[in-house]
Amino acid sequence: MALRSVSALLEKVGHAVWRADALAGAISTAGVVASGHHDLDAQLPGGGWPVGALCELLQEQGGQLEWRLLLPALRGLPHAVVLVAPPWVPYGPGLQAQGLSASALIWVQVQSLADRLWAAEQMLHSDGVSALLLWLPKVRSESLRRLHMAAHAHAKLLFVMRLAEAQTESSPAILRLLVQAHTADDLLHVQILKRRGPPLVSTLHLPARPAALAVLLAIHQAGTWNVNVLGRTAAVF
């Protein structure tokens, strides 16, 4: 009898039920934003970055790979992109050359963990913000959950950058990616550690730079240009 009831229910609302052995659709009614990487979108629930949910990007050292991964999506957003506590000074001309207008950036430089979390939550409440990028040291899961709820309530893209060692810690993030790069190639090596769907055992290999920029760098035989801004070094990708 119970099985018949379940079968009848699935016939009525089956389109709204996610089966754990299948890749889920959009996480929320706010939908998704295409990542700009076809191979990655094919593996993300809904086909892109989820709007209104926490995404974690893990790497050995913050400040470079997240830009290469996120820029294609960020440059098409209608409102501001907020950066909270980036480890390097954002270099506006370099970002603008790749399509992300400097006028669309809001840089919030705070130091303590409490200040970072407070600033991030306030920005998620702002109507003029499309996406928030937050760099965090070790942080409690409860604090991340609060940010996730704020992003959900206000339909914002939320990316939290943490060190790779955090992958062993619990997190409320609905999407967790480990991002790496190797000197032997000009690719981003992305592992999807957590998603709403079956585990992805293989590693994705994505272009690290736009095609035009890759050609330019090849011509000049350079890997990364560095520009000194306000006494600190900001990478130009």
Side-chain angles (χ1 to χ4, degrees):
M1 181 66 69
L3 289 176
R4 292 180 182 177
S5 299
V6 171
S7 298
L9 179 62
L10 288 176
E11 288 181 3
K12 293 181 179 180
V13 298
H15 65 282
V17 176
W18 166 61
R19 299 173 183 269
D21 62 349
L23 193 61
I27 302 299
S28 70
T29 56
V32 300
V33 172
S35 72
H37 303 279
H38 177 75
D39 290 345
L40 177 59
D41 285 343
Q43 300 299 334
L44 295 180
W49 299 120
V51 178
L54 167 62
C55 299
E56 281 190 356
L57 303 183
L58 311 179
Q59 55 186 319
E60 294 297 332
Q61 182 177 0
Q64 292 190 356
L65 302 184
E66 60 267 50
W67 285 112
R68 301 180 187 181
L69 186 64
L70 298 178
L71 262 175
L74 297 180
R75 58 189 175 215
L77 298 178
H79 302 300
V81 175
V82 178
L83 317 176
V84 177
W88 305 103
V89 175
Y91 184 60
L95 295 174
Q96 186 156 328
Q98 296 185 69
L100 182 59
S101 173
S103 63
L105 291 177
I106 298 176
W107 172 30
V108 182
Q109 185 63 355
V110 287
Q111 296 300 325
S112 72
L113 174 60
D115 287 345
R116 296 184 193 199
L117 294 172
W118 182 86
E121 187 170 353
Q122 301 311 304
M123 287 296 179
L124 288 172
H125 286 266
S126 174
D127 292 337
V129 171
S130 287
L132 186 138
L133 279 62
L134 170 63
W135 287 260
L136 287 179
K138 192 173 182 64
V139 62
R140 294 174 61 88
S141 179
E142 292 82 354
S143 297
L144 293 174
R145 188 175 304 278
R146 186 180 179 93
L147 293 177
H148 171 73
M149 293 175 63
H152 178 75
H154 299 280
K156 299 292 192 295
L157 283 168
L158 172 59
F159 300 98
V160 173
M161 271 58 69
R162 303 179 67 193
L163 295 180
E165 61 193 35
Q167 63 186 290
T168 60
E169 303 173 8
S170 62
S171 170
I174 56 93
L175 186 62
R176 302 187 89 190
L177 275 62
L178 177 64
V179 188
Q180 299 173 301
H182 304 304
T183 56
D185 54 42
D186 196 27
L187 297 172
L188 293 177
H189 303 270
V190 179
Q191 293 177 262
I192 300 180
L193 305 178
K194 180 182 179 181
R195 64 175 178 175
R196 184 178 260 187
L200 181 64
V201 178
S202 59
T203 298
L204 300 176
H205 305 286
L206 311 176
R209 299 177 177 86
L213 181 59
V215 171
L216 181 61
L217 291 176
I219 291 175
H220 288 273
Q221 295 184 340
T224 300
W225 297 339
N226 290 314
V227 179
N228 190 271
V229 181
L230 300 179
R232 298 179 64 187
T233 300
V236 181
F237 308 108

